[in-house]
Amino acid sequence: METLKKIITLRKDNKWPSWDLVYEWEDIIRSEFSLSFYYESAINRYAKKIPHPFLSQFLYPSDPAFMFQMGPDLRGDYNKSNIIPCIIDFFLRKEDLPLFYRRNSQHPVLLVSSKEAVDYFRQNDCSLSIYHFPLSLPDKYRFTRDCLSSKKYDVVLVGRTNTVLMDYLQRYAKAHPDFYYVYRELAGNSFNYYTSRGEFLGDICSRDQYISLLRKSRIGLYATPGMDDGSSRTNGFNPVTPRFLEMISCGCHVLARYPDNAETDFYEFRSFGPSIESYRQFEDRMDKALFEEVDEVFYEEYLSKHYTSKRCELLKQILKDINHE
């Protein structure tokens, strides 16, 4: 494959907040590789509904292109020899793999964000060229020691919450009346945030608002998405999401609930402490984290391995590898 020329993006038509981080990754990759955007539009999506096997060749660029996919493509809409996709969430069951392999057979290489999923492919007769391309933290969110002076809340709960950690948090708050935390309630398309003291902080949906709020938190609670009640949603997969990196970049202690697998090993979870397995353990860790400063040097060194600019270096190496095959 030649040098990349384009990056396929949904940004003109898809405004859902969960895609904002993807667009930040795209911006960095576009700049690093001097690419131009190919804007997928609503017309493309409507056209893909027409069942014609050769239609996709007219919907996407013919130049070498990169794209992020929120999940695996089982329709084969992007299955072209000039497109390198990166799959963010992979939760397919084993019986779906033959179809997935067929519908992605033309790609020169397939990038997968989860190390656990990459190993899963290799254990299940994968006929595709697969590379691990881990998720990352955009460079503009680099950890700085300034964020440690803006702590206001003990815990800020962001995104989907783990039921076990939420139960522990509520028990802790009941036993410690001065404990001050922030939680989110969904109301339609609004992300309404409140404090445990009844204060309404507003509809916080933009990336800047979200990061600003997280920087005010002393502690972040994190669980991989396949833990506990999340297992049915992810078919048992436990990828590490960028929220873990965001908590670190915002100077939060991280209390995490996670399995020991290839993914959590890649992100060195044990360096931040063992998985929370009991309320007593949660209480002890919380007591300690509320009054200790984070290890600034460790945070800086850790995140230096996970910025998006580092992933650009990896992508350059992958391209070099496939061009020499």
Side-chain angles (χ1 to χ4, degrees):
M1 172 180 252
E2 308 167 40
T3 303
L4 292 173
K5 299 293 185 182
K6 297 188 183 297
I7 185 163
I8 300 169
T9 181
L10 306 178
R11 64 183 60 205
K12 278 193 174 180
D13 195 55
N14 191 328
K15 305 298 183 182
W16 187 246
S18 59
W19 279 89
D20 290 345
L21 174 58
V22 177
Y23 302 150
E24 290 176 351
W25 292 329
E26 289 176 353
D27 287 339
I28 296 170
I29 294 172
R30 178 198 187 197
S31 176
E32 185 67 29
F33 287 83
S34 300
L35 308 180
S36 59
F37 280 135
Y38 177 88
Y39 297 100
E40 184 171 6
S41 67
I43 295 176
N44 293 62
R45 291 207 306 277
Y46 287 130
K48 284 190 295 188
K49 295 179 181 179
I50 302 172
H52 195 291
F54 302 107
L55 188 59
S56 65
Q57 65 182 305
F58 303 109
L59 296 180
Y60 297 104
S62 56
D63 292 328
F66 175 89
M67 70 178 298
F68 284 104
Q69 293 178 350
M70 196 61 81
D73 175 22
L74 290 179
R75 286 173 49 97
D77 293 318
Y78 307 95
N79 192 19
K80 296 184 66 180
S81 61
N82 64 300
I83 294 178
I84 295 178
C86 177
I87 302 173
I88 297 172
D89 291 333
F90 186 89
F91 305 142
L92 288 183
R93 297 166 299 181
K94 187 174 181 178
E95 54 264 37
D96 296 320
L97 291 180
L99 175 61
F100 173 77
Y101 295 158
R102 290 197 302 274
R103 296 293 167 83
N104 290 273
S105 60
Q106 298 303 310
H107 300 303
V109 66
L110 192 65
L111 309 184
V112 181
S113 71
S114 168
K115 182 65 168 61
E116 183 186 25
V118 170
D119 291 349
Y120 178 73
F121 282 129
R122 290 171 179 164
Q123 295 162 6
N124 286 281
D125 303 318
C126 183
S127 56
L128 310 177
S129 178
I130 301 286
Y131 278 80
H132 182 212
F133 191 76
L135 301 184
S136 62
L137 182 74
D139 293 57
K140 68 179 182 179
Y141 301 124
R142 283 183 177 273
F143 172 80
T144 64
R145 303 183 186 198
D146 293 343
C147 71
L148 301 179
S149 62
S150 60
K151 303 305 180 184
K152 181 177 181 179
Y153 308 110
D154 294 326
V155 169
V156 172
L157 298 169
V158 290
R160 185 181 285 108
T161 56
N162 173 270
T163 53
V164 173
L165 291 180
M166 192 63 189
D167 176 65
Y168 292 165
L169 177 78
Q170 291 170 342
R171 289 174 63 183
Y172 189 90
K174 188 174 181 180
H176 300 79
D178 293 333
F179 187 68
Y180 191 23
Y181 68 95
V182 174
Y183 62 94
R184 185 187 77 173
E185 288 188 354
L186 295 178
N189 291 328
S190 297
F191 297 84
N192 294 332
Y193 282 82
Y194 300 86
T195 75
S196 55
R197 298 175 184 174
E199 302 154 307
F200 176 54
L201 303 182
D203 176 12
I204 297 176
C205 59
S206 73
R207 288 284 293 163
D208 288 343
Q209 290 174 313
Y210 161 76
I211 293 294
S212 177
L213 178 61
L214 197 54
R215 282 176 176 159
K216 296 176 183 177
S217 183
R218 293 179 180 86
I219 298 166
L221 301 185
Y222 181 83
T224 51
M227 290 294 289
D228 307 310
D229 59 326
S231 180
S232 59
R233 184 178 67 87
T234 68
N235 287 318
F237 285 97
N238 270 285
V240 173
T241 64
R243 185 162 292 120
F244 178 72
L245 301 177
E246 291 164 351
M247 289 177 175
I248 298 166
S249 76
C250 289
C252 302
H253 287 285
V254 182
L255 275 61
R257 185 166 165 78
Y258 61 92
D260 285 323
N261 63 19
E263 181 79 344
T264 57
D265 185 57
F266 174 81
Y267 283 102
E268 303 173 80
F269 265 48
R270 285 185 291 275
S271 298
F272 295 86
S275 174
I276 300 292
E277 300 297 331
S278 69
Y279 175 71
R280 178 61 183 273
Q281 186 184 16
F282 178 89
E283 185 177 40
D284 289 346
R285 293 271 300 279
M286 184 68 75
D287 288 345
K288 185 179 180 181
L290 285 171
F291 297 101
E292 277 192 354
E293 296 295 332
V294 302
D295 186 334
E296 300 168 4
V297 173
F298 170 63
Y299 273 32
E300 289 174 340
E301 291 178 349
Y302 175 82
L303 287 176
S304 69
K305 296 177 281 188
H306 296 293
Y307 291 119
T308 307
S309 57
K310 294 294 290 185
R311 301 297 185 254
C312 288
E313 294 177 13
L314 174 60
L315 183 55
K316 289 177 182 177
Q317 183 60 52
I318 291 171
L319 290 169
K320 185 177 180 181
D321 288 347
I322 64 176
N323 282 327
H324 283 85
E325 288 180 355

